[in-house]
Amino acid sequence: MKKQESSRVQLLNVVKSFGDNTVLHSIDLDIQAGSLTTLLGPSGCGKTTILRLIAGLELPTSGRVILGDEDVSVLSASQRDVAMVFQSYALFPHMTVGQNVGYGLKMQGIAKEERKERVKDALDSVGLDGFQDRYIDQMSGGQQQRVAVARALILEPKVMLFDEPLSNLDSKLRRQMREDIRRLQQELGVTSVYVTHDQDEALAVSDDVVVMRDGEIAQQGSPKQLYLQPNSKFVATFMGDANIIQGEVIEVGQKTILRIDDVEVETDRPMDAEHLGKNIEIAIRPEALSLTSAGDTSQPGLPCTITTKAYIGAAIEYSVKWRDQELFLISATGSQEFTIGEKASVLITPPGIAPIPGK
């Protein structure tokens, strides 16, 4: 399929209420043309409501929705150049794959021969060329999801919306489909907004991630920025595993130096002078921690006791007790192994260490 024209998407001071229940509070969101932005958050945070506002399936209580240069705040879904891939696929079981994919073109009055060529092209782009005459109940879950994506892509929308598109697939198919969706999005250059509650999915497919909480934007940024520089405990713990511990800020500036017990660690996150000498919470990713023998004095560490150990193939997951706190870490298979109950020392090595003065 050819590269498509795409649109910037903006939500300006958008509020959405259902009766007395306000589910979105003054949302300002800017999604760049040609990017894939993921809305991530727990159930009920407002991410699907934002998707439906962009699609035109809901209208804002106040504020504006802009697609490209056009204010579409009060336009219906049929008046917007937007296509949506639903969690349930929403395919017609009485139609063949080809008829499902070409249905939108038929409704637009596109001639049969052109529809046939475009259906073939769309199915080829998702690896299903030759499946035109099959019925939906003859397709696996992963194949049905590809049909749903092809049906949306064939309309050449300026904005593509994905509502939890992989939640019905097993883990192996999810990984494969998210790679396919990302590849297609980059090849076609179509602005895409992707809703999920799966952090790994968000990190894997996105140019930009918007973490939602209670109808508000908690933080927006690149996957790497949100993972390594969360602005709050909520974002730190929602964007993957994080150990939250207390530490003292002993130096500020372009780099921040933190002291945890007798261990000093440097981070790239700048902090203001007001934090100097104060105890704050620190998010430490499991991969920033490693284990060494309790008697190893070559570098300072946190004394601990191994409480759990799980072999997961490429790595070993440990939980350790430090003071009155459990820490979680991941060690590569082949490195020094420890047994449950054994004394050890936890080393802290950047990156993956972020002071989080926010809540």
Side-chain angles (χ1 to χ4, degrees), residues 279-294:
N279 285 323
I280 63 166
E281 289 187 313
I282 304 165
I284 303 181
R285 299 296 178 187
E287 60 271 20
L289 300 178
S290 60
L291 290 173
T292 189
S293 300

Side-chain angles (χ1 to χ4, degrees), residues 6 12 15 103 123 134 152 175 177 179 181 186 223-224 226 239-240 256 277 284 287 289 305 313 323-324 341:
S6 60
L12 305 178
V15 174
Y103 181 77
L123 287 174
R134 292 198 188 184
R175 185 171 62 252
M177 276 303 302
E179 291 170 356
I181 288 172
Q186 290 181 314
K224 185 175 181 179
L226 266 62
M239 292 294 294
T256 299
I284 303 181
E287 60 271 20
L289 300 178
T305 302
R323 293 185 175 177
D324 294 324

Side-chain angles (χ1 to χ4, degrees), residues 3-10 29-38 51 54 66-68 81-84 152-153 156-162 181-182 184-194 207-208:
K3 203 168 184 70
Q4 298 170 198
E5 183 183 353
S6 60
S7 291
R8 179 184 181 187
V9 179
Q10 298 174 83
L29 181 59
D30 192 348
I31 297 169
Q32 295 302 306
S35 68
L36 193 156
T37 296
T38 295
L51 202 73
I54 297 170
I66 312 293
L67 298 185
D81 195 356
V82 171
M84 192 163 181
L153 286 173
E156 299 180 351
K158 292 183 179 177
V159 179
M160 279 276 288
L161 306 176
F162 296 88
I181 288 172
R182 181 56 166 159
L184 281 168
Q185 186 273 328
Q186 290 181 314
E187 287 177 358
L188 300 176
V190 60
T191 306
S192 299
V193 186
Y194 192 105
D207 295 303
D208 216 27

